[in-house]
Amino acid sequence: SSTPASELTIYNDDWMNKYHGKSTTVLKPHTAQEVSEIVKWCNERRIGIVPQGGNTGLVGGGVPTSNELIINLGNMTKIRSFDPVTGE
């Protein structure tokens, strides 16, 4: 389904509103398998990808430079393991 441009602003613009992208597509996978399938599909078609976590970075690295596909990882909330001592 098509997403209105007004709803894409939070994915195309950085947190400080300094960088502005023009992506028309945001995918929100839930699993690593879905990410893998998206990356494979885009690679076969030579479509650029911009991964986004919380999109709160202050360097603009998570903002598309033109019309790359955005993979928003916000739905990937399952933690496989966590070591409270090392943070890994």
Side-chain angles (χ1 to χ4, degrees):
S1 65
S2 181
T3 304
S6 61
E7 292 181 27
L8 292 170
T9 302
I10 61 171
Y11 304 103
N12 276 313
D13 297 349
D14 73 313
W15 187 63
M16 294 188 65
N17 205 29
K18 184 175 180 181
Y19 302 103
H20 308 283
K22 298 175 185 163
S23 181
T24 60
T25 306
V26 177
L27 299 180
K28 300 177 182 181
H30 288 87
T31 67
Q33 179 63 35
E34 289 177 351
V35 173
S36 177
E37 291 170 10
I38 292 166
V39 170
K40 181 180 178 185
W41 189 88
C42 288
N43 183 55
E44 290 170 351
R45 290 157 180 81
R46 302 187 51 80
I47 296 171
I49 297 171
V50 175
Q52 287 185 350
N55 203 21
T56 59
L58 301 178
V59 296
V63 176
T65 58
S66 54
N67 64 347
E68 299 92 352
L69 181 136
I70 298 170
I71 299 179
N72 182 281
L73 305 173
N75 288 331
M76 296 184 68
T77 58
K78 185 185 280 186
I79 298 172
R80 292 188 297 182
S81 66
F82 179 75
D83 183 336
V85 176
T86 65
E88 296 178 0

